[in-house]
mmCIF file of all heavy atoms in Angstrom:
data_model
loop_
_atom_site.group_PDB
_atom_site.id
_atom_site.type_symbol
_atom_site.label_atom_id
_atom_site.label_comp_id
_atom_site.label_asym_id
_atom_site.label_seq_id
_atom_site.Cartn_x
_atom_site.Cartn_y
_atom_site.Cartn_z
ATOM 1 N N ARG Z 50 79.558 108.876 130.182
ATOM 2 C CA ARG Z 50 79.079 110.263 130.156
ATOM 3 C C ARG Z 50 80.264 111.230 130.221
ATOM 4 O O ARG Z 50 80.244 112.292 129.595
ATOM 5 C CB ARG Z 50 78.103 110.503 131.300
ATOM 6 C CG ARG Z 50 76.715 109.905 131.030
ATOM 7 C CD ARG Z 50 75.802 110.016 132.215
ATOM 8 N NE ARG Z 50 74.427 109.638 131.857
ATOM 9 C CZ ARG Z 50 73.531 109.208 132.721
ATOM 10 N NH1 ARG Z 50 73.843 109.086 134.027
ATOM 11 N NH2 ARG Z 50 72.309 108.901 132.320
ATOM 12 N N GLY Z 51 81.287 110.832 130.978
ATOM 13 C CA GLY Z 51 82.510 111.632 130.998
ATOM 14 C C GLY Z 51 83.198 111.638 129.645
ATOM 15 O O GLY Z 51 83.738 112.661 129.213
ATOM 16 N N TYR Z 52 83.170 110.481 128.956
ATOM 17 C CA TYR Z 52 83.732 110.422 127.610
ATOM 18 C C TYR Z 52 83.005 111.402 126.687
ATOM 19 O O TYR Z 52 83.633 112.130 125.912
ATOM 20 C CB TYR Z 52 83.582 109.015 127.022
ATOM 21 C CG TYR Z 52 84.594 107.995 127.501
ATOM 22 C CD1 TYR Z 52 85.063 107.991 128.808
ATOM 23 C CD2 TYR Z 52 85.070 107.009 126.642
ATOM 24 C CE1 TYR Z 52 85.963 107.042 129.241
ATOM 25 C CE2 TYR Z 52 85.975 106.057 127.065
ATOM 26 C CZ TYR Z 52 86.419 106.077 128.375
ATOM 27 O OH TYR Z 52 87.327 105.145 128.798
ATOM 28 N N LEU Z 53 81.671 111.413 126.765
ATOM 29 C CA LEU Z 53 80.895 112.303 125.898
ATOM 30 C C LEU Z 53 81.264 113.759 126.133
ATOM 31 O O LEU Z 53 81.441 114.539 125.183
ATOM 32 C CB LEU Z 53 79.397 112.100 126.141
ATOM 33 C CG LEU Z 53 78.764 110.842 125.544
ATOM 34 C CD1 LEU Z 53 77.295 110.754 125.946
ATOM 35 C CD2 LEU Z 53 78.893 110.822 124.030
ATOM 36 N N ALA Z 54 81.395 114.140 127.395
ATOM 37 C CA ALA Z 54 81.746 115.527 127.707
ATOM 38 C C ALA Z 54 83.151 115.857 127.200
ATOM 39 O O ALA Z 54 83.383 116.938 126.643
ATOM 40 C CB ALA Z 54 81.647 115.755 129.216
ATOM 41 N N ALA Z 55 84.084 114.925 127.402
ATOM 42 C CA ALA Z 55 85.455 115.158 126.949
ATOM 43 C C ALA Z 55 85.518 115.237 125.428
ATOM 44 O O ALA Z 55 86.253 116.071 124.868
ATOM 45 C CB ALA Z 55 86.363 114.045 127.464
ATOM 46 N N TYR Z 56 84.763 114.399 124.741
ATOM 47 C CA TYR Z 56 84.766 114.419 123.279
ATOM 48 C C TYR Z 56 84.109 115.681 122.737
ATOM 49 O O TYR Z 56 84.519 116.203 121.696
ATOM 50 C CB TYR Z 56 84.067 113.173 122.741
ATOM 51 C CG TYR Z 56 84.898 111.915 122.885
ATOM 52 C CD1 TYR Z 56 84.353 110.659 122.629
ATOM 53 C CD2 TYR Z 56 86.236 111.967 123.272
ATOM 54 C CE1 TYR Z 56 85.111 109.502 122.749
ATOM 55 C CE2 TYR Z 56 86.999 110.831 123.401
ATOM 56 C CZ TYR Z 56 86.431 109.595 123.140
ATOM 57 O OH TYR Z 56 87.189 108.460 123.265
ATOM 58 N N GLU Z 57 83.097 116.172 123.430
ATOM 59 C CA GLU Z 57 82.469 117.417 122.991
ATOM 60 C C GLU Z 57 83.459 118.576 123.086
ATOM 61 O O GLU Z 57 83.545 119.412 122.171
ATOM 62 C CB GLU Z 57 81.238 117.713 123.850
ATOM 63 C CG GLU Z 57 80.470 118.953 123.427
ATOM 64 C CD GLU Z 57 79.227 119.190 124.256
ATOM 65 O OE1 GLU Z 57 78.955 118.404 125.187
ATOM 66 O OE2 GLU Z 57 78.510 120.172 123.975
ATOM 67 N N ARG Z 58 84.236 118.605 124.166
ATOM 68 C CA ARG Z 58 85.228 119.679 124.317
ATOM 69 C C ARG Z 58 86.320 119.569 123.258
ATOM 70 O O ARG Z 58 86.724 120.573 122.658
ATOM 71 C CB ARG Z 58 85.841 119.639 125.725
ATOM 72 C CG ARG Z 58 84.873 120.004 126.843
ATOM 73 C CD ARG Z 58 85.599 120.199 128.161
ATOM 74 N NE ARG Z 58 86.226 118.981 128.628
ATOM 75 C CZ ARG Z 58 85.624 118.085 129.425
ATOM 76 N NH1 ARG Z 58 84.364 118.279 129.807
ATOM 77 N NH2 ARG Z 58 86.264 117.016 129.839
ATOM 78 N N LEU Z 59 86.800 118.340 123.028
ATOM 79 C CA LEU Z 59 87.860 118.177 122.037
ATOM 80 C C LEU Z 59 87.347 118.493 120.635
ATOM 81 O O LEU Z 59 88.046 119.141 119.845
ATOM 82 C CB LEU Z 59 88.403 116.749 122.081
ATOM 83 C CG LEU Z 59 89.524 116.432 121.075
ATOM 84 C CD1 LEU Z 59 90.722 117.343 121.273
ATOM 85 C CD2 LEU Z 59 89.940 114.964 121.169
ATOM 86 N N ALA Z 60 86.132 118.051 120.315
ATOM 87 C CA ALA Z 60 85.574 118.335 118.993
ATOM 88 C C ALA Z 60 85.447 119.835 118.769
ATOM 89 O O ALA Z 60 85.732 120.335 117.669
ATOM 90 C CB ALA Z 60 84.217 117.651 118.842
ATOM 91 N N ALA Z 61 85.033 120.562 119.792
ATOM 92 C CA ALA Z 61 84.915 122.011 119.654
ATOM 93 C C ALA Z 61 86.278 122.639 119.389
ATOM 94 O O ALA Z 61 86.414 123.554 118.568
ATOM 95 C CB ALA Z 61 84.278 122.603 120.915
ATOM 96 N N ALA Z 62 87.301 122.135 120.083
ATOM 97 C CA ALA Z 62 88.651 122.676 119.883
ATOM 98 C C ALA Z 62 89.167 122.344 118.490
ATOM 99 O O ALA Z 62 89.744 123.198 117.804
ATOM 100 C CB ALA Z 62 89.592 122.124 120.953
ATOM 101 N N LEU Z 63 88.951 121.108 118.043
ATOM 102 C CA LEU Z 63 89.441 120.718 116.721
ATOM 103 C C LEU Z 63 88.666 121.407 115.601
ATOM 104 O O LEU Z 63 89.214 121.681 114.531
ATOM 105 C CB LEU Z 63 89.349 119.199 116.552
ATOM 106 C CG LEU Z 63 90.250 118.349 117.451
ATOM 107 C CD1 LEU Z 63 90.095 116.868 117.107
ATOM 108 C CD2 LEU Z 63 91.704 118.764 117.339
ATOM 109 N N ALA Z 64 87.391 121.686 115.828
ATOM 110 C CA ALA Z 64 86.588 122.341 114.796
ATOM 111 C C ALA Z 64 87.076 123.755 114.514
ATOM 112 O O ALA Z 64 86.851 124.284 113.421
ATOM 113 C CB ALA Z 64 85.118 122.369 115.216
ATOM 114 N N ARG Z 65 87.769 124.336 115.490
ATOM 115 C CA ARG Z 65 88.296 125.692 115.281
ATOM 116 C C ARG Z 65 89.524 125.677 114.381
ATOM 117 O O ARG Z 65 89.987 126.738 113.939
ATOM 118 C CB ARG Z 65 88.633 126.341 116.632
ATOM 119 C CG ARG Z 65 87.399 126.659 117.466
ATOM 120 C CD ARG Z 65 87.736 127.580 118.619
ATOM 121 N NE ARG Z 65 88.540 126.912 119.633
ATOM 122 C CZ ARG Z 65 88.022 126.290 120.697
ATOM 123 N NH1 ARG Z 65 86.703 126.227 120.857
ATOM 124 N NH2 ARG Z 65 88.810 125.710 121.578
ATOM 125 N N GLY Z 66 90.066 124.495 114.110
ATOM 126 C CA GLY Z 66 91.217 124.389 113.209
ATOM 127 C C GLY Z 66 92.495 124.790 113.903
ATOM 128 O O GLY Z 66 92.730 124.494 115.076
ATOM 129 N N GLY Z 67 93.336 125.486 113.155
ATOM 130 C CA GLY Z 67 94.589 125.965 113.722
ATOM 131 C C GLY Z 67 95.625 124.882 113.910
ATOM 132 O O GLY Z 67 96.437 124.960 114.826
ATOM 133 N N VAL Z 68 95.598 123.860 113.070
ATOM 134 C CA VAL Z 68 96.576 122.777 113.193
ATOM 135 C C VAL Z 68 97.975 123.290 112.856
ATOM 136 O O VAL Z 68 98.184 123.936 111.832
ATOM 137 C CB VAL Z 68 96.220 121.612 112.250
ATOM 138 C CG1 VAL Z 68 97.338 120.577 112.225
ATOM 139 C CG2 VAL Z 68 94.920 120.976 112.684
ATOM 140 N N GLN Z 69 98.912 123.017 113.745
ATOM 141 C CA GLN Z 69 100.314 123.314 113.459
ATOM 142 C C GLN Z 69 100.912 122.044 112.855
ATOM 143 O O GLN Z 69 101.367 121.159 113.559
ATOM 144 C CB GLN Z 69 101.049 123.721 114.735
ATOM 145 C CG GLN Z 69 100.550 125.037 115.332
ATOM 146 C CD GLN Z 69 101.319 125.423 116.574
ATOM 147 O OE1 GLN Z 69 102.057 124.623 117.141
ATOM 148 N NE2 GLN Z 69 101.145 126.667 117.007
ATOM 149 N N ALA Z 70 100.848 121.986 111.540
ATOM 150 C CA ALA Z 70 101.206 120.750 110.847
ATOM 151 C C ALA Z 70 102.633 120.323 111.151
ATOM 152 O O ALA Z 70 103.539 121.143 111.283
ATOM 153 C CB ALA Z 70 101.023 120.923 109.339
ATOM 154 N N ALA Z 71 102.792 119.000 111.250
ATOM 155 C CA ALA Z 71 104.119 118.431 111.463
ATOM 156 C C ALA Z 71 104.904 118.487 110.163
ATOM 157 O O ALA Z 71 104.407 118.895 109.120
ATOM 158 C CB ALA Z 71 103.973 116.994 111.946
ATOM 159 N N ALA Z 72 106.161 118.090 110.230
ATOM 160 C CA ALA Z 72 106.978 118.002 109.016
ATOM 161 C C ALA Z 72 106.271 117.107 108.007
ATOM 162 O O ALA Z 72 105.590 116.147 108.393
ATOM 163 C CB ALA Z 72 108.345 117.431 109.364
ATOM 164 N N PRO Z 73 106.395 117.417 106.710
ATOM 165 C CA PRO Z 73 105.670 116.639 105.694
ATOM 166 C C PRO Z 73 105.852 115.133 105.819
ATOM 167 O O PRO Z 73 104.890 114.377 105.660
ATOM 168 C CB PRO Z 73 106.251 117.178 104.382
ATOM 169 C CG PRO Z 73 106.662 118.573 104.704
ATOM 170 C CD PRO Z 73 107.155 118.530 106.119
#
C-alpha cells in the first residue's frame, strides 16, 4: 500500500513533464 501511494506521487510528478534531459 505504501508502494501504491509512492507510485501515485511519482506518476503525478512525472506526468507534469519538465524533464531536464541528459547529454545526448
